[in-house]
CSV table of all heavy atoms in Angstrom, one decimal:
chain,number,residue,atom,x,y,z
C,1,GLN,N,-1.4,4.4,-15.6
C,1,GLN,CA,-0.5,3.9,-14.6
C,1,GLN,C,-0.2,2.5,-14.8
C,1,GLN,O,-0.9,1.8,-15.6
C,1,GLN,CB,-1.2,4.1,-13.2
C,1,GLN,CG,-2.4,3.2,-13.0
C,1,GLN,CD,-3.1,3.6,-11.7
C,1,GLN,OE1,-3.5,4.8,-11.5
C,1,GLN,NE2,-3.4,2.7,-10.8
C,2,ALA,N,0.9,2.1,-14.3
C,2,ALA,CA,1.3,0.7,-14.2
C,2,ALA,C,1.4,0.3,-12.7
C,2,ALA,O,2.0,1.1,-11.9
C,2,ALA,CB,2.6,0.4,-14.8
C,3,ASN,N,0.8,-0.7,-12.3
C,3,ASN,CA,0.6,-1.0,-10.8
C,3,ASN,C,1.7,-2.0,-10.3
C,3,ASN,O,2.0,-2.9,-10.9
C,3,ASN,CB,-0.8,-1.6,-10.5
C,3,ASN,CG,-1.8,-0.5,-10.5
C,3,ASN,OD1,-1.5,0.7,-10.5
C,3,ASN,ND2,-3.1,-0.9,-10.5
C,4,THR,N,2.1,-1.7,-9.1
C,4,THR,CA,2.9,-2.7,-8.3
C,4,THR,C,2.3,-2.6,-6.9
C,4,THR,O,1.4,-1.8,-6.6
C,4,THR,CB,4.4,-2.4,-8.4
C,4,THR,OG1,5.1,-3.4,-7.7
C,4,THR,CG2,4.7,-1.0,-7.7
C,5,SER,N,2.9,-3.4,-6.0
C,5,SER,CA,2.4,-3.3,-4.6
C,5,SER,C,3.7,-3.2,-3.7
C,5,SER,O,4.8,-3.5,-4.1
C,5,SER,CB,1.7,-4.6,-4.2
C,5,SER,OG,2.5,-5.8,-4.3
C,6,TYR,N,3.4,-2.7,-2.5
C,6,TYR,CA,4.5,-2.5,-1.5
C,6,TYR,C,4.0,-2.6,-0.1
C,6,TYR,O,2.9,-2.2,0.2
C,6,TYR,CB,5.0,-1.0,-1.7
C,6,TYR,CG,6.1,-0.6,-0.7
C,6,TYR,CD1,7.4,-1.1,-0.8
C,6,TYR,CD2,5.7,0.2,0.3
C,6,TYR,CE1,8.3,-0.7,0.1
C,6,TYR,CE2,6.7,0.6,1.3
C,6,TYR,CZ,8.0,0.2,1.1
C,6,TYR,OH,9.0,0.6,2.1
C,7,VAL,N,4.7,-3.3,0.7
C,7,VAL,CA,4.4,-3.5,2.1
C,7,VAL,C,5.0,-2.4,3.0
C,7,VAL,O,6.3,-2.3,2.9
C,7,VAL,CB,4.8,-4.9,2.7
C,7,VAL,CG1,4.4,-5.0,4.1
C,7,VAL,CG2,4.0,-6.0,1.9
C,8,VAL,N,4.2,-1.6,3.7
C,8,VAL,CA,4.8,-0.5,4.4
C,8,VAL,C,5.7,-1.0,5.5
C,8,VAL,O,5.4,-1.9,6.3
C,8,VAL,CB,3.6,0.3,5.1
C,8,VAL,CG1,4.1,1.5,5.9
C,8,VAL,CG2,2.7,0.8,4.0
C,9,LYS,N,6.8,-0.3,5.7
C,9,LYS,CA,7.8,-0.6,6.7
C,9,LYS,C,7.7,0.4,7.8
C,9,LYS,O,7.1,1.5,7.7
C,9,LYS,CB,9.2,-0.6,6.1
C,9,LYS,CG,9.4,-1.7,5.1
C,9,LYS,CD,10.8,-1.7,4.5
C,9,LYS,CE,11.1,-2.9,3.5
C,9,LYS,NZ,10.1,-2.9,2.4
C,10,GLN,N,8.4,0.1,9.0
C,10,GLN,CA,8.4,1.0,10.1
C,10,GLN,C,9.0,2.3,9.7
C,10,GLN,O,9.9,2.4,9.0
C,10,GLN,CB,9.2,0.4,11.2
C,10,GLN,CG,9.1,1.1,12.6
C,10,GLN,CD,7.7,0.9,13.2
C,10,GLN,OE1,7.1,-0.2,13.0
C,10,GLN,NE2,7.1,1.9,13.8
C,11,ASP,N,8.3,3.4,10.1
C,11,ASP,CA,8.7,4.8,9.9
C,11,ASP,C,8.5,5.2,8.4
C,11,ASP,O,8.9,6.4,8.0
C,11,ASP,CB,10.2,5.0,10.2
C,11,ASP,CG,10.5,4.8,11.7
C,11,ASP,OD1,9.6,5.1,12.5
C,11,ASP,OD2,11.6,4.2,12.0
C,12,ASP,N,7.9,4.4,7.6
C,12,ASP,CA,7.5,4.9,6.3
C,12,ASP,C,6.4,5.9,6.3
C,12,ASP,O,5.5,5.8,7.1
C,12,ASP,CB,7.0,3.7,5.4
C,12,ASP,CG,8.1,3.0,4.7
C,12,ASP,OD1,9.2,3.5,4.6
C,12,ASP,OD2,7.9,1.9,4.1
C,13,THR,N,6.4,6.9,5.4
C,13,THR,CA,5.3,7.8,5.2
C,13,THR,C,5.1,7.7,3.7
C,13,THR,O,5.9,7.2,2.9
C,13,THR,CB,5.7,9.2,5.6
C,13,THR,OG1,6.8,9.7,4.7
C,13,THR,CG2,6.1,9.3,7.0
C,14,TYR,N,4.0,8.3,3.2
C,14,TYR,CA,3.7,8.4,1.8
C,14,TYR,C,4.8,9.1,1.0
C,14,TYR,O,5.3,8.6,-0.1
C,14,TYR,CB,2.4,9.1,1.5
C,14,TYR,CG,1.2,8.2,1.8
C,14,TYR,CD1,0.2,8.6,2.7
C,14,TYR,CD2,1.0,7.0,1.1
C,14,TYR,CE1,-0.9,7.9,2.9
C,14,TYR,CE2,-0.2,6.2,1.3
C,14,TYR,CZ,-1.1,6.7,2.2
C,14,TYR,OH,-2.2,5.9,2.5
C,15,LEU,N,5.4,10.1,1.6
C,15,LEU,CA,6.4,10.9,1.0
C,15,LEU,C,7.7,10.0,0.9
C,15,LEU,O,8.4,10.0,-0.1
C,15,LEU,CB,6.7,12.2,1.7
C,15,LEU,CG,7.8,13.1,1.1
C,15,LEU,CD1,7.3,13.5,-0.3
C,15,LEU,CD2,8.0,14.3,2.0
C,16,VAL,N,8.0,9.3,2.0
C,16,VAL,CA,9.2,8.5,2.0
C,16,VAL,C,9.1,7.4,1.0
C,16,VAL,O,10.1,7.1,0.2
C,16,VAL,CB,9.5,7.9,3.4
C,16,VAL,CG1,10.5,6.8,3.4
C,16,VAL,CG2,9.9,9.0,4.4
C,17,ILE,N,7.9,6.8,0.9
C,17,ILE,CA,7.7,5.7,-0.1
C,17,ILE,C,7.9,6.2,-1.5
C,17,ILE,O,8.5,5.6,-2.4
C,17,ILE,CB,6.4,5.0,0.1
C,17,ILE,CG1,6.3,4.3,1.5
C,17,ILE,CG2,6.1,4.0,-1.0
C,17,ILE,CD1,4.9,3.9,1.9
C,18,ALA,N,7.2,7.4,-1.8
C,18,ALA,CA,7.2,7.9,-3.1
C,18,ALA,C,8.6,8.4,-3.6
C,18,ALA,O,9.1,8.0,-4.7
C,18,ALA,CB,6.2,9.1,-3.2
C,19,ASN,N,9.3,9.1,-2.7
C,19,ASN,CA,10.6,9.8,-3.1
C,19,ASN,C,11.8,9.0,-2.8
C,19,ASN,O,12.8,9.0,-3.5
C,19,ASN,CB,10.7,11.2,-2.5
C,19,ASN,CG,9.8,12.2,-3.2
C,19,ASN,OD1,9.0,11.8,-4.0
C,19,ASN,ND2,10.0,13.5,-2.8
C,20,ASN,N,11.8,8.2,-1.7
C,20,ASN,CA,13.0,7.4,-1.3
C,20,ASN,C,12.9,6.0,-2.0
C,20,ASN,O,13.9,5.6,-2.7
C,20,ASN,CB,13.1,7.3,0.2
C,20,ASN,CG,13.5,8.6,0.8
C,20,ASN,OD1,13.4,9.7,0.2
C,20,ASN,ND2,13.8,8.6,2.1
C,21,THR,N,11.9,5.3,-1.7
C,21,THR,CA,11.8,3.9,-2.2
C,21,THR,C,11.6,3.9,-3.7
C,21,THR,O,12.4,3.2,-4.4
C,21,THR,CB,10.6,3.1,-1.5
C,21,THR,OG1,10.8,3.2,-0.1
C,21,THR,CG2,10.6,1.7,-2.0
C,22,PHE,N,10.7,4.6,-4.2
C,22,PHE,CA,10.4,4.6,-5.7
C,22,PHE,C,11.0,5.8,-6.4
C,22,PHE,O,10.8,5.9,-7.6
C,22,PHE,CB,8.9,4.6,-5.9
C,22,PHE,CG,8.2,3.3,-5.5
C,22,PHE,CD1,7.8,3.0,-4.2
C,22,PHE,CD2,8.2,2.2,-6.4
C,22,PHE,CE1,7.2,1.8,-3.9
C,22,PHE,CE2,7.6,1.0,-6.1
C,22,PHE,CZ,7.1,0.8,-4.8
C,23,ALA,N,11.7,6.6,-5.7
C,23,ALA,CA,12.6,7.7,-6.3
C,23,ALA,C,11.8,8.6,-7.2
C,23,ALA,O,12.4,9.3,-8.1
C,23,ALA,CB,13.7,7.0,-7.1
C,24,GLY,N,10.5,8.7,-7.1
C,24,GLY,CA,9.7,9.7,-7.9
C,24,GLY,C,8.9,9.0,-9.0
C,24,GLY,O,8.2,9.7,-9.7
C,25,LEU,N,8.9,7.7,-9.0
C,25,LEU,CA,8.1,7.0,-10.0
C,25,LEU,C,6.6,7.0,-9.6
C,25,LEU,O,5.7,6.6,-10.4
C,25,LEU,CB,8.5,5.5,-10.2
C,25,LEU,CG,9.8,5.4,-11.1
C,25,LEU,CD1,10.2,3.9,-11.1
C,25,LEU,CD2,9.6,5.9,-12.5
């Protein structure tokens, strides 16, 4: 893996972060 960090926003879920924000990365 290569690591980055992310601050959770309102209404974020793990699925939203993975598929919407990071688009599947």
Side-chain angles (χ1 to χ4, degrees):
Q1 64 192 54
N3 282 350
T4 185
S5 62
Y6 175 77
V7 177
V8 178
K9 297 178 175 57
Q10 193 67 36
D11 300 325
D12 270 348
T13 65
Y14 283 122
L15 184 61
V16 167
I17 296 169
N19 282 9
N20 290 12
T21 304
F22 289 91
L25 283 178

